Amino acid sequence: MGLGNRKWVLIIVLIIIGVYISLLIYTHIGRTVLRFSGPGYVVTYVRYSELPWPLNVLTFDQPNTYPLINIVIKGAPKPYLNVNARFFIYATGPSVGGFVNIGHYLSNSTSFVISVSNYTAYAIKLDNYLRMTPDIAGPSIVLFISTITNSSNGPSVVTGFVTVPIIPELARGSVVNVAINYTEILKTSLPINATDNAKLAFNDPSTQPPNTIWAGCVVISSGPYENKEECWYWELNTVLLTQSNTPFPITAQIIQSPEVNYITQSNINLAITLQQNTYTEAGFALTLAIPTSTGINVETPGIGYMLQLPSNSASYTLLAYGCVFANPSLTTSASECTYANKNVTVTAPSISGAGAYGVAVIGYLEIANYTEYECIGPLGDPCIGTVEAVQWAIMTWFAAYNNTSVNEFEAEPLNPATMMSYVQLLLNNEAFNTITFPSGTTLIYVGNIDTQVDATPLFAFAGDMGAILEAMGVSLPLELQQFLNYLIVGVSFNTQTISNIQNTVFIQMSYPSNINVCTSPIAYEFNYQVYVSNLSNYYPAPTVYVDFNAGPCS
């Protein structure tokens, strides 16, 4: 071969190598299409470019894509001696009709993969039921991640809670990664009764009886249960409530009986708008209430239902809604509610008596009880012995319907007597802080939340779902009675780059021009404090109800 031919061969080889390296780089650079930061963990959806066959075979070993979820845990405590499986994961998620078991998994490593292939159909069905589009919205699955470690009281089972958003069409074809800092996520711990030299063994769930989910076992070497086996497992115990068309009161003007003759009308306008540079997510927060020795610990382990701002949109309106509540004895104005700038209007209650005249978001509610069980019995089959519930949690999940005619949250005026009953229950529960305004005020404007990177993930709206249900006259299971003051739901936000969230409430009352009317307004704001684990502090969950205390000037 001549020098010239060798030169051309070398050039061709270099071109092929250059093209191959370019394709390799092209297919290995992923594009993040969703990023959610929860308390102590981060979830990312990454899309990789795919080449047609056979180039895809030559250049890229496709990573695990959804419905496989890649989990990496750092900061986990050292495992207990003789442990042969480092972590146990129990996955559950909401569906139409209640939570469902998704699966249970074991791992010896801090980096592992779980499959949630049996949940995708539930997520799509739930999106359709809520009239949401599965390309920008979806529910979160909840992971109970347990490990057994030493504590100051000896060995203990530690369970952390993580939510992973499943937006079906966005997840499809994406690599879903969950990076967890175990030291920062919400956790609950349960001491083990075994001695230090007990032998620990995680059992393979596939060999166990159906519906039994193992979180770990210890062989007891001394005491009254010597040579017995002690095991623990989390399980979806009971779906306590599923409730369609549930009102979630957002804001209201409280009108007492003496005020009726001095208020011509009440105007309420509210809006939630998202603006973004890169990522902005909004959703209804999932609440987990766990009984403790000192009462009930309420946590928000993450967004239970998420909406991601479409990437081609600079802003997104979750809700822009206004109501006029008119007093027919003082004005001819109509009582009506309207989506702002939309030709969608409904009749609202007229001011005819005492009540709380306001607005509710309408959605779907689920409440479930998760229980951790302890079994003590014969080696290899401990659950034929003593089985006891050792701790449990109540999980509250709520999501609004989408009004497809305006593509915003479904909202409507609530019956004033029902709304007033709700507010009165909260007053009786001492759930409010009282804010006073200057005498003569007839307009109150609150809101305008700016959220930036690492800022506090405030609740835009929050509500006591137990009190809502009680005010509606819903028959509540006995298991929920002690949680009435704790089942909080709310709209929360999550941002990854500098973004702006506007949440405004505008309440104005007017009075007859021929009467000299004075006001001494007060507002009731939730005094609930929600613990945000990744910020290690408690933050308010604001929602405001206003009473202008209108009457004749003295």
PDB file of all heavy atoms in Angstrom, residues 266-269 321-326 333-339 344-350 359 413:
ATOM      1  N   SER A 266     -69.551  41.260  49.480  1.00  0.00           N
ATOM      2  CA  SER A 266     -68.190  40.834  49.779  1.00  0.00           C
ATOM      3  C   SER A 266     -67.556  40.344  48.482  1.00  0.00           C
ATOM      4  O   SER A 266     -68.144  39.525  47.771  1.00  0.00           O
ATOM      5  CB  SER A 266     -68.184  39.720  50.827  1.00  0.00           C
ATOM      6  OG  SER A 266     -66.887  39.192  51.003  1.00  0.00           O
ATOM      7  N   ASN A 267     -66.382  40.870  48.186  1.00  0.00           N
ATOM      8  CA  ASN A 267     -65.643  40.451  46.994  1.00  0.00           C
ATOM      9  C   ASN A 267     -64.393  39.686  47.423  1.00  0.00           C
ATOM     10  O   ASN A 267     -63.600  40.189  48.230  1.00  0.00           O
ATOM     11  CB  ASN A 267     -65.220  41.665  46.168  1.00  0.00           C
ATOM     12  CG  ASN A 267     -66.397  42.379  45.542  1.00  0.00           C
ATOM     13  OD1 ASN A 267     -67.244  42.921  46.246  1.00  0.00           O
ATOM     14  ND2 ASN A 267     -66.468  42.376  44.233  1.00  0.00           N
ATOM     15  N   ILE A 268     -64.225  38.493  46.871  1.00  0.00           N
ATOM     16  CA  ILE A 268     -63.046  37.675  47.170  1.00  0.00           C
ATOM     17  C   ILE A 268     -62.396  37.281  45.855  1.00  0.00           C
ATOM     18  O   ILE A 268     -63.052  36.728  44.970  1.00  0.00           O
ATOM     19  CB  ILE A 268     -63.422  36.423  47.979  1.00  0.00           C
ATOM     20  CG1 ILE A 268     -63.959  36.820  49.357  1.00  0.00           C
ATOM     21  CG2 ILE A 268     -62.215  35.496  48.133  1.00  0.00           C
ATOM     22  CD1 ILE A 268     -64.387  35.653  50.212  1.00  0.00           C
ATOM     23  N   ASN A 269     -61.125  37.595  45.724  1.00  0.00           N
ATOM     24  CA  ASN A 269     -60.354  37.184  44.552  1.00  0.00           C
ATOM     25  C   ASN A 269     -59.068  36.521  45.016  1.00  0.00           C
ATOM     26  O   ASN A 269     -58.435  36.972  45.981  1.00  0.00           O
ATOM     27  CB  ASN A 269     -60.022  38.396  43.673  1.00  0.00           C
ATOM     28  CG  ASN A 269     -61.262  38.996  43.039  1.00  0.00           C
ATOM     29  OD1 ASN A 269     -61.752  38.516  42.036  1.00  0.00           O
ATOM     30  ND2 ASN A 269     -61.786  40.049  43.652  1.00  0.00           N
ATOM     31  N   TYR A 321     -59.473  33.022  40.521  1.00  0.00           N
ATOM     32  CA  TYR A 321     -60.899  32.817  40.782  1.00  0.00           C
ATOM     33  C   TYR A 321     -61.416  33.975  41.624  1.00  0.00           C
ATOM     34  O   TYR A 321     -60.720  34.464  42.528  1.00  0.00           O
ATOM     35  CB  TYR A 321     -61.080  31.505  41.540  1.00  0.00           C
ATOM     36  CG  TYR A 321     -62.478  30.950  41.564  1.00  0.00           C
ATOM     37  CD1 TYR A 321     -63.031  30.354  40.439  1.00  0.00           C
ATOM     38  CD2 TYR A 321     -63.240  30.990  42.729  1.00  0.00           C
ATOM     39  CE1 TYR A 321     -64.309  29.818  40.465  1.00  0.00           C
ATOM     40  CE2 TYR A 321     -64.519  30.449  42.759  1.00  0.00           C
ATOM     41  CZ  TYR A 321     -65.049  29.864  41.626  1.00  0.00           C
ATOM     42  OH  TYR A 321     -66.308  29.330  41.651  1.00  0.00           O
ATOM     43  N   GLY A 322     -62.609  34.434  41.316  1.00  0.00           N
ATOM     44  CA  GLY A 322     -63.196  35.525  42.077  1.00  0.00           C
ATOM     45  C   GLY A 322     -64.669  35.319  42.327  1.00  0.00           C
ATOM     46  O   GLY A 322     -65.381  34.728  41.505  1.00  0.00           O
ATOM     47  N   CYS A 323     -65.140  35.780  43.493  1.00  0.00           N
ATOM     48  CA  CYS A 323     -66.550  35.650  43.860  1.00  0.00           C
ATOM     49  C   CYS A 323     -67.093  36.993  44.352  1.00  0.00           C
ATOM     50  O   CYS A 323     -66.379  37.769  45.001  1.00  0.00           O
ATOM     51  CB  CYS A 323     -66.744  34.618  44.975  1.00  0.00           C
ATOM     52  SG  CYS A 323     -66.483  32.907  44.472  1.00  0.00           S
ATOM     53  N   VAL A 324     -68.349  37.229  44.043  1.00  0.00           N
ATOM     54  CA  VAL A 324     -69.113  38.335  44.612  1.00  0.00           C
ATOM     55  C   VAL A 324     -70.263  37.731  45.407  1.00  0.00           C
ATOM     56  O   VAL A 324     -71.093  36.987  44.843  1.00  0.00           O
ATOM     57  CB  VAL A 324     -69.661  39.278  43.523  1.00  0.00           C
ATOM     58  CG1 VAL A 324     -70.552  40.354  44.151  1.00  0.00           C
ATOM     59  CG2 VAL A 324     -68.526  39.901  42.726  1.00  0.00           C
ATOM     60  N   PHE A 325     -70.292  38.012  46.695  1.00  0.00           N
ATOM     61  CA  PHE A 325     -71.408  37.591  47.543  1.00  0.00           C
ATOM     62  C   PHE A 325     -72.208  38.854  47.861  1.00  0.00           C
ATOM     63  O   PHE A 325     -71.723  39.729  48.591  1.00  0.00           O
ATOM     64  CB  PHE A 325     -70.900  36.927  48.822  1.00  0.00           C
ATOM     65  CG  PHE A 325     -70.060  35.702  48.576  1.00  0.00           C
ATOM     66  CD1 PHE A 325     -68.667  35.789  48.560  1.00  0.00           C
ATOM     67  CD2 PHE A 325     -70.652  34.465  48.353  1.00  0.00           C
ATOM     68  CE1 PHE A 325     -67.886  34.666  48.331  1.00  0.00           C
ATOM     69  CE2 PHE A 325     -69.867  33.334  48.120  1.00  0.00           C
ATOM     70  CZ  PHE A 325     -68.486  33.437  48.108  1.00  0.00           C
ATOM     71  N   ALA A 326     -73.391  38.977  47.268  1.00  0.00           N
ATOM     72  CA  ALA A 326     -74.173  40.208  47.373  1.00  0.00           C
ATOM     73  C   ALA A 326     -75.328  40.040  48.352  1.00  0.00           C
ATOM     74  O   ALA A 326     -75.884  38.941  48.508  1.00  0.00           O
ATOM     75  CB  ALA A 326     -74.702  40.609  46.003  1.00  0.00           C
ATOM     76  N   SER A 333     -76.900  43.765  42.774  1.00  0.00           N
ATOM     77  CA  SER A 333     -75.807  43.006  42.184  1.00  0.00           C
ATOM     78  C   SER A 333     -76.058  41.502  42.317  1.00  0.00           C
ATOM     79  O   SER A 333     -76.696  41.043  43.277  1.00  0.00           O
ATOM     80  CB  SER A 333     -74.476  43.357  42.864  1.00  0.00           C
ATOM     81  OG  SER A 333     -74.143  44.715  42.673  1.00  0.00           O
ATOM     82  N   ALA A 334     -75.551  40.761  41.365  1.00  0.00           N
ATOM     83  CA  ALA A 334     -75.716  39.310  41.376  1.00  0.00           C
ATOM     84  C   ALA A 334     -74.628  38.664  42.219  1.00  0.00           C
ATOM     85  O   ALA A 334     -73.494  39.151  42.287  1.00  0.00           O
ATOM     86  CB  ALA A 334     -75.662  38.772  39.958  1.00  0.00           C
ATOM     87  N   SER A 335     -74.973  37.585  42.870  1.00  0.00           N
ATOM     88  CA  SER A 335     -73.987  36.783  43.591  1.00  0.00           C
ATOM     89  C   SER A 335     -73.473  35.709  42.641  1.00  0.00           C
ATOM     90  O   SER A 335     -74.239  34.858  42.187  1.00  0.00           O
ATOM     91  CB  SER A 335     -74.614  36.136  44.835  1.00  0.00           C
ATOM     92  OG  SER A 335     -74.997  37.116  45.777  1.00  0.00           O
ATOM     93  N   GLU A 336     -72.177  35.755  42.342  1.00  0.00           N
ATOM     94  CA  GLU A 336     -71.629  34.819  41.368  1.00  0.00           C
ATOM     95  C   GLU A 336     -70.127  34.660  41.551  1.00  0.00           C
ATOM     96  O   GLU A 336     -69.464  35.502  42.159  1.00  0.00           O
ATOM     97  CB  GLU A 336     -71.920  35.296  39.941  1.00  0.00           C
ATOM     98  CG  GLU A 336     -71.323  36.654  39.618  1.00  0.00           C
ATOM     99  CD  GLU A 336     -71.727  37.155  38.243  1.00  0.00           C
ATOM    100  OE1 GLU A 336     -72.749  36.653  37.710  1.00  0.00           O
ATOM    101  OE2 GLU A 336     -71.022  38.037  37.700  1.00  0.00           O
ATOM    102  N   CYS A 337     -69.608  33.551  41.023  1.00  0.00           N
ATOM    103  CA  CYS A 337     -68.175  33.278  41.037  1.00  0.00           C
ATOM    104  C   CYS A 337     -67.711  33.027  39.607  1.00  0.00           C
ATOM    105  O   CYS A 337     -68.427  32.385  38.816  1.00  0.00           O
ATOM    106  CB  CYS A 337     -67.841  32.071  41.902  1.00  0.00           C
ATOM    107  SG  CYS A 337     -68.161  32.291  43.673  1.00  0.00           S
ATOM    108  N   THR A 338     -66.506  33.505  39.291  1.00  0.00           N
ATOM    109  CA  THR A 338     -66.007  33.428  37.922  1.00  0.00           C
ATOM    110  C   THR A 338     -64.515  33.152  37.926  1.00  0.00           C
ATOM    111  O   THR A 338     -63.771  33.693  38.748  1.00  0.00           O
ATOM    112  CB  THR A 338     -66.257  34.760  37.179  1.00  0.00           C
ATOM    113  OG1 THR A 338     -67.622  35.111  37.283  1.00  0.00           O
ATOM    114  CG2 THR A 338     -65.862  34.646  35.705  1.00  0.00           C
ATOM    115  N   TYR A 339     -64.075  32.296  37.007  1.00  0.00           N
ATOM    116  CA  TYR A 339     -62.651  32.179  36.740  1.00  0.00           C
ATOM    117  C   TYR A 339     -62.206  33.449  36.034  1.00  0.00           C
ATOM    118  O   TYR A 339     -62.824  33.874  35.058  1.00  0.00           O
ATOM    119  CB  TYR A 339     -62.355  30.955  35.876  1.00  0.00           C
ATOM    120  CG  TYR A 339     -62.405  29.646  36.639  1.00  0.00           C
ATOM    121  CD1 TYR A 339     -63.582  28.914  36.726  1.00  0.00           C
ATOM    122  CD2 TYR A 339     -61.280  29.147  37.267  1.00  0.00           C
ATOM    123  CE1 TYR A 339     -63.635  27.725  37.434  1.00  0.00           C
ATOM    124  CE2 TYR A 339     -61.320  27.947  37.976  1.00  0.00           C
ATOM    125  CZ  TYR A 339     -62.502  27.250  38.049  1.00  0.00           C
ATOM    126  OH  TYR A 339     -62.543  26.076  38.753  1.00  0.00           O
ATOM    127  N   VAL A 344     -66.703  31.551  32.445  1.00  0.00           N
ATOM    128  CA  VAL A 344     -67.198  30.407  33.212  1.00  0.00           C
ATOM    129  C   VAL A 344     -67.689  30.941  34.545  1.00  0.00           C
ATOM    130  O   VAL A 344     -66.884  31.268  35.426  1.00  0.00           O
ATOM    131  CB  VAL A 344     -66.100  29.342  33.417  1.00  0.00           C
ATOM    132  CG1 VAL A 344     -66.640  28.173  34.232  1.00  0.00           C
ATOM    133  CG2 VAL A 344     -65.554  28.856  32.090  1.00  0.00           C
ATOM    134  N   THR A 345     -68.997  31.081  34.697  1.00  0.00           N
ATOM    135  CA  THR A 345     -69.593  31.718  35.871  1.00  0.00           C
ATOM    136  C   THR A 345     -70.630  30.808  36.491  1.00  0.00           C
ATOM    137  O   THR A 345     -71.391  30.140  35.777  1.00  0.00           O
ATOM    138  CB  THR A 345     -70.246  33.062  35.490  1.00  0.00           C
ATOM    139  OG1 THR A 345     -69.251  33.913  34.934  1.00  0.00           O
ATOM    140  CG2 THR A 345     -70.860  33.731  36.699  1.00  0.00           C
ATOM    141  N   VAL A 346     -70.647  30.775  37.824  1.00  0.00           N
ATOM    142  CA  VAL A 346     -71.667  29.997  38.539  1.00  0.00           C
ATOM    143  C   VAL A 346     -72.307  30.903  39.582  1.00  0.00           C
ATOM    144  O   VAL A 346     -71.734  31.908  40.003  1.00  0.00           O
ATOM    145  CB  VAL A 346     -71.058  28.759  39.237  1.00  0.00           C
ATOM    146  CG1 VAL A 346     -70.460  27.805  38.220  1.00  0.00           C
ATOM    147  CG2 VAL A 346     -70.012  29.164  40.272  1.00  0.00           C
ATOM    148  N   THR A 347     -73.512  30.543  39.985  1.00  0.00           N
ATOM    149  CA  THR A 347     -74.229  31.294  41.015  1.00  0.00           C
ATOM    150  C   THR A 347     -73.598  31.053  42.380  1.00  0.00           C
ATOM    151  O   THR A 347     -73.214  29.922  42.707  1.00  0.00           O
ATOM    152  CB  THR A 347     -75.700  30.889  41.039  1.00  0.00           C
ATOM    153  OG1 THR A 347     -76.274  31.141  39.751  1.00  0.00           O
ATOM    154  CG2 THR A 347     -76.466  31.663  42.096  1.00  0.00           C
ATOM    155  N   ALA A 348     -73.477  32.119  43.165  1.00  0.00           N
ATOM    156  CA  ALA A 348     -72.930  32.024  44.516  1.00  0.00           C
ATOM    157  C   ALA A 348     -74.024  32.329  45.531  1.00  0.00           C
ATOM    158  O   ALA A 348     -75.033  32.966  45.194  1.00  0.00           O
ATOM    159  CB  ALA A 348     -71.768  33.003  44.681  1.00  0.00           C
ATOM    160  N   PRO A 349     -73.868  31.886  46.765  1.00  0.00           N
ATOM    161  CA  PRO A 349     -74.861  32.187  47.798  1.00  0.00           C
ATOM    162  C   PRO A 349     -74.965  33.696  48.045  1.00  0.00           C
ATOM    163  O   PRO A 349     -73.958  34.410  48.035  1.00  0.00           O
ATOM    164  CB  PRO A 349     -74.328  31.467  49.044  1.00  0.00           C
ATOM    165  CG  PRO A 349     -73.370  30.446  48.519  1.00  0.00           C
ATOM    166  CD  PRO A 349     -72.790  31.017  47.279  1.00  0.00           C
ATOM    167  N   SER A 350     -76.168  34.169  48.249  1.00  0.00           N
ATOM    168  CA  SER A 350     -76.381  35.571  48.619  1.00  0.00           C
ATOM    169  C   SER A 350     -76.215  35.732  50.123  1.00  0.00           C
ATOM    170  O   SER A 350     -76.425  34.785  50.897  1.00  0.00           O
ATOM    171  CB  SER A 350     -77.784  36.019  48.197  1.00  0.00           C
ATOM    172  OG  SER A 350     -77.916  35.977  46.792  1.00  0.00           O
ATOM    173  N   VAL A 359     -64.515  30.483  49.364  1.00  0.00           N
ATOM    174  CA  VAL A 359     -64.168  29.660  48.211  1.00  0.00           C
ATOM    175  C   VAL A 359     -63.480  28.383  48.682  1.00  0.00           C
ATOM    176  O   VAL A 359     -62.690  28.392  49.631  1.00  0.00           O
ATOM    177  CB  VAL A 359     -63.227  30.431  47.266  1.00  0.00           C
ATOM    178  CG1 VAL A 359     -62.800  29.562  46.095  1.00  0.00           C
ATOM    179  CG2 VAL A 359     -63.902  31.701  46.766  1.00  0.00           C
ATOM    180  N   PRO A 413     -67.904  28.210  45.222  1.00  0.00           N
ATOM    181  CA  PRO A 413     -68.298  28.769  46.522  1.00  0.00           C
ATOM    182  C   PRO A 413     -68.845  27.663  47.403  1.00  0.00           C
ATOM    183  O   PRO A 413     -69.541  26.762  46.920  1.00  0.00           O
ATOM    184  CB  PRO A 413     -69.375  29.781  46.147  1.00  0.00           C
ATOM    185  CG  PRO A 413     -69.942  29.265  44.863  1.00  0.00           C
ATOM    186  CD  PRO A 413     -68.809  28.614  44.136  1.00  0.00           C
TER     187      PRO A 413
END
